Structures are given as structure tokens and as C-alpha cells.
Amino acid sequence: MPQLPEDIIDRLIQMERRIQALSTAVNTRPVLNDVVNGSLTVKRQTDAQDANTAITLVQISGSGPGATKPVLRVNDSFSHEILSDDILTGGLARPWLTMLPPQSMASAHWPATSATAWTTIAQSQNPIWQPKMRLRMYTRISGTAVGQIRVMVDGVQFGPTVAAGTTFDHTGPVTADMQGGFGTTMTIEIHGIVTSGSGNVYAQPVLMHGRQT
């Protein structure tokens, strides 16, 4: 039997330790779900030769003022930017969301009723994009009238019934089935009623927006 170098056993032991360390590192490496200084593209494979881009998520470090802030953009398959944040101040840059225009504060111009039964005095229709809504509304009375105001969403009361002359301000769900209701159209109605006296009850929405759960 040929004579082995005296340190061959030590070398084999060191090699075995290195292999074990490499194996442990491979099996315990963190999940690759962080994107740093680059972008993530999700593709839709239609056949062996074609991979269409479904969505591109770009998160780049070192962008923005002073190259210190990341920027987040989501592009569709046509490279249209459909979602992005504002790298100057924070918040949402795109999409631009509709804002309620200034409303008249002269209650004589507001939706009103003198009816002694619940009557629809205002209505709007909106798509369901979020599971909750906040609605803030001023109410008034005229003459000797005493009355109430309520809000209905698809025939179901939304929030409390308030005495006319007080402020309605409520946040709550607009659907019990967000999966089935997403994107469908909801009907929002303001109802008024005069319960005693003579005159009108008035209501004027001044804030309405969707909310997350």
C-alpha cells in the first residue's frame, strides 16, 4: 500500500466540513422576494416561443430627490404606468382619483323635501372598488320643520338616521360580498322626511370616498 502524506486525513476532514457548510447555505438561503436596484417582470407564457408581459413591477433604490428614495411603479402589458407613488412628497401619483368639487353652502340650493314620508332627494351610482365608504353630509331644516335624513346603499341603510340639522358622518361596508360585488355598480340614495311642523329638510354631501377594510 502506498504511503499517504501525513496531512491527508486532515485535508479530507476540512473538505467534508466545507461541503457541509455549502450544503447548509444553499438549503437555508432566504426567499428571493426582495427587489433591490432593479425590477421584477411577471410574464404570461402562451406557448414555448412566446412569453407576453402581464405586468411589470419596478422598485428602484436610489431614485428621487437626492437619490435617496425608492420609486414604485406598476406597468401593464402595454408599458402604461397604471400605479405609481409620489417620490417628492409620498402618497399616490397615479392614478389620479376623482375629487368632489366644492358644494354650495346655501341650503336653499341643496336637495330637499317637505314630504311626510321617506323620499329620495338625491342619488348617485358608483362602481364598487373598495369594501368600505366614508360619507360626510351637512343637513338643514327650514321653517318649523322637524325631520330626519338617512342614506341607502342598494336599498340597505348605510349608517345611522340623523336628525335634520345635524351632520351625517359614517364609514362602513358597502357590500357583504366583495369578491362578487367588485366592479359592480352600487346606487347611493339620500332620503329625507319631515316628521312634524312645516318646511323642508335639506342634505348636502361634502365628502365621499372608498376605504379599505
Side-chain angles (χ1 to χ4, degrees), residues 45-210:
Q45 190 76 38
T46 56
D47 56 45
Q49 288 78 34
D50 181 32
N52 296 320
T53 300
I55 192 170
T56 302
L57 174 63
V58 181
Q59 184 176 3
I60 305 174
S61 297
S63 297
T68 60
K69 297 181 181 179
V71 57
L72 173 65
R73 294 188 181 95
V74 177
N75 299 331
D76 65 11
S77 57
F78 295 93
S79 297
H80 299 147
E81 187 175 284
I82 58 176
L83 175 68
S84 62
D85 63 345
D86 191 321
I87 62 175
L88 294 178
T89 62
L92 192 63
R94 286 189 176 88
W96 294 354
L97 301 181
T98 301
M99 300 176 71
L100 186 70
Q103 302 294 296
S104 171
M105 288 293 98
S107 57
H109 301 155
W110 295 2
T113 185
S114 60
T116 56
W118 284 113
T119 302
T120 301
I121 60 176
Q123 182 189 95
S124 68
Q125 295 184 340
N126 300 269
I128 298 176
W129 298 123
Q130 295 168 297
K132 286 187 175 183
M133 177 179 72
R134 182 186 177 191
L135 175 60
R136 180 176 175 86
M137 177 170 55
Y138 295 151
T139 72
R140 300 285 188 271
I141 55 175
S142 66
T144 61
V146 176
Q148 296 177 323
I149 298 292
R150 71 183 184 186
V151 177
M152 309 293 287
V153 176
D154 287 338
V156 178
Q157 185 164 346
F158 175 81
T161 299
V162 300
T166 62
T167 298
F168 177 98
D169 194 340
H170 180 72
T171 300
V174 293
T175 178
D177 180 14
M178 187 61 186
Q179 302 306 312
F182 181 79
T184 61
T185 301
M186 61 179 170
T187 299
I188 302 167
E189 295 180 331
I190 300 173
H191 290 182
I193 184 174
V194 174
T195 55
S196 65
S198 177
N200 292 332
V201 295
Y202 304 83
Q204 178 71 295
V206 292
L207 175 70
M208 187 171 79
H209 60 82

Side-chain angles (χ1 to χ4, degrees), residues 7-75:
D7 62 346
I8 190 65
I9 301 300
D10 293 336
R11 292 182 180 180
L12 290 174
I13 292 174
Q14 291 176 1
M15 184 179 296
E16 182 179 8
R17 289 174 179 171
R18 291 175 182 172
I19 292 173
Q20 289 178 346
L22 288 172
S23 177
T24 301
V26 168
N27 292 327
T28 60
R29 67 181 181 181
V31 178
L32 299 179
N33 57 3
D34 291 331
V35 179
V36 180
N37 294 325
S39 64
L40 172 65
T41 300
V42 180
K43 293 184 178 291
R44 180 178 58 250
Q45 190 76 38
T46 56
D47 56 45
Q49 288 78 34
D50 181 32
N52 296 320
T53 300
I55 192 170
T56 302
L57 174 63
V58 181
Q59 184 176 3
I60 305 174
S61 297
S63 297
T68 60
K69 297 181 181 179
V71 57
L72 173 65
R73 294 188 181 95
V74 177
N75 299 331

